[in-house]
Amino acid sequence: IDARQAAVIGLVSEITDSQRGLQERAFALAERIAAAAPLAVQALQSLSVETAHLSARDAQRLTELYWGALRDSEDRLEGRAAFAEKRTPNYRGR
């Protein structure tokens, strides 16, 4: 199938008109991920691998364990403070 058909059936969420457009979009997404809280990004990466074979119920339990660990992190507090103060957060991976 072509890219437009893949988008219609929900296989992809975005398409670009050129290789250059694809590269620009990929770099924009990479920059957004790099600016995110590192502990949360690491947790998402781990969960995507660790829950692939689990039932929905077991995957949810593991996700809640990760949330419990992240909930009390300094990065979460920094993210909330930065949002309230309308500034860019300064994550430290703690």
Side-chain angles (χ1 to χ4, degrees):
I1 64 173
D2 66 11
R4 297 209 187 284
Q5 180 66 21
V8 168
I9 64 174
L11 187 59
V12 298
S13 57
E14 295 180 39
I15 57 173
T16 62
D17 292 329
S18 67
Q19 183 71 25
R20 182 173 174 85
L22 175 62
Q23 187 176 19
E24 289 172 359
R25 183 65 179 132
F27 278 109
L29 288 171
E31 288 174 0
R32 186 172 175 194
I33 292 168
L39 294 178
V41 172
Q42 290 168 6
L44 287 172
Q45 289 172 326
S46 294
L47 284 168
S48 68
V49 172
E50 294 173 16
T51 61
H53 67 285
L54 298 177
S55 68
R57 184 177 183 173
D58 289 339
Q60 181 63 35
R61 285 183 183 149
L62 189 56
T63 300
E64 289 170 4
L65 286 173
Y66 272 80
W67 164 242
L70 293 173
R71 179 188 59 220
D72 298 328
S73 70
E74 289 178 27
D75 280 356
R76 178 174 176 265
L77 298 174
E78 167 60 13
R80 291 183 68 170
F83 180 80
E85 297 165 11
K86 298 182 178 163
R87 61 174 173 81
T88 302
N90 181 24
Y91 296 118
R92 298 184 177 166
R94 296 187 279 197

